[in-house]
Amino acid sequence: MSTRPILIRPMQADDVPAMLAVQAQCYPPHMNEPADVLLARWQACGDTAWVACDAQGQVAAYLVAYRSVWGKVSPLGQAFAHAAQPEVLYLHDLAIGQALRGQGAAQALVAAARQLAQAQALQGSTLVSVNGSLAFWQRLGWQVMSLEAAGQRALATYADDAVYMGWRPTW
C-alpha cells in the first residue's frame, strides 16, 4: 500500500484519452468502450464520475456511475442517464490501471461513490461484476442479486462471468 494519498477528483472531458488507456489495461478488447461513449456518459452523468491520479498527476484509474433503480443493468457500450426517481447508485465501470494497482485506488473511488450515495439518501448501490472481480466486490459488501428477464438480457452483453450485485448500506 502506498503511503502517498491517492488524489480522487471529478472526471473531466479531457480525461477520456487517459481513461481509454486505463480501460485497455483492464479489459479484453471486446469490452473496451469507445471515447464517444465515455464522453457522452460524462456529459449526462458527470456528477457521478471520478478519476484517480498517480503521483505524477496522471489519470490512472476511474469510476463512472449513475443514479438508477434496483434491477436495472446498462448494456455494455450504451449511453446512460440518471433515473428520474433513483433508488441506487449504479457503478458501471471501475478500472484501475497498472500505475495504481495495489495502492488502494479502487477502495478510494468506491468510497467517493458511497459518500455520494449516502449524501443523496440512496438505498444502496448496484453493479455488474466482470473479469473475475466477484470476490473483490463481496469483500466490499456487495452481494449477488437476481434479475428479471430484461436485466438478464443486458447482463448477457458482458463477459461470461458477469454477475449482478447489490449493496445495502447501514447508514
Side-chain angles (χ1 to χ4, degrees), residues 60-78:
Y62 65 87
L63 172 59
V64 292
Y66 66 94
R67 290 181 288 281
S68 188
V69 296
W70 294 106
K72 181 180 184 301
V73 174
S74 285
L76 186 65
Q78 289 193 358

Side-chain angles (χ1 to χ4, degrees), residues 20-51:
L20 290 172
V22 170
Q23 178 180 243
Q25 293 175 26
C26 297
Y27 300 112
H30 73 277
M31 289 184 67
N32 281 236
E33 297 177 304
D36 62 328
V37 169
L38 294 179
L39 188 58
R41 289 178 179 158
W42 172 77
Q43 290 168 332
C45 303
D47 63 322
T48 54
W50 302 269
V51 296

Side-chain angles (χ1 to χ4, degrees), residues 154-165:
L155 190 65
T157 66
Y158 293 85
D160 291 339
D161 68 343
V163 177
Y164 181 69
M165 302 183 80

Side-chain angles (χ1 to χ4, degrees), residues 55-96:
Q56 291 73 42
Q58 301 299 309
V59 171
Y62 65 87
L63 172 59
V64 292
Y66 66 94
R67 290 181 288 281
S68 188
V69 296
W70 294 106
K72 181 180 184 301
V73 174
S74 285
L76 186 65
Q78 289 193 358
F80 49 69
H82 293 305
Q85 296 182 325
E87 300 169 332
V88 297
L89 187 64
Y90 179 86
L91 308 184
H92 176 73
D93 188 7
L94 172 67
I96 312 300

Side-chain angles (χ1 to χ4, degrees), residues 27 62-65 89-96 105-111 113-114 125-144 161-168:
Y27 300 112
Y62 65 87
L63 172 59
V64 292
L89 187 64
Y90 179 86
L91 308 184
H92 176 73
D93 188 7
L94 172 67
I96 312 300
Q107 293 83 350
L109 286 162
V110 169
R114 283 181 166 170
S125 179
T126 58
L127 58 87
V128 172
S129 166
V130 296
N131 287 349
S133 63
L134 181 67
F136 167 81
W137 290 112
Q138 287 175 323
R139 283 191 304 275
L140 293 180
W142 271 261
Q143 298 177 353
V144 174
D161 68 343
V163 177
Y164 181 69
M165 302 183 80
W167 170 74
R168 295 180 190 268

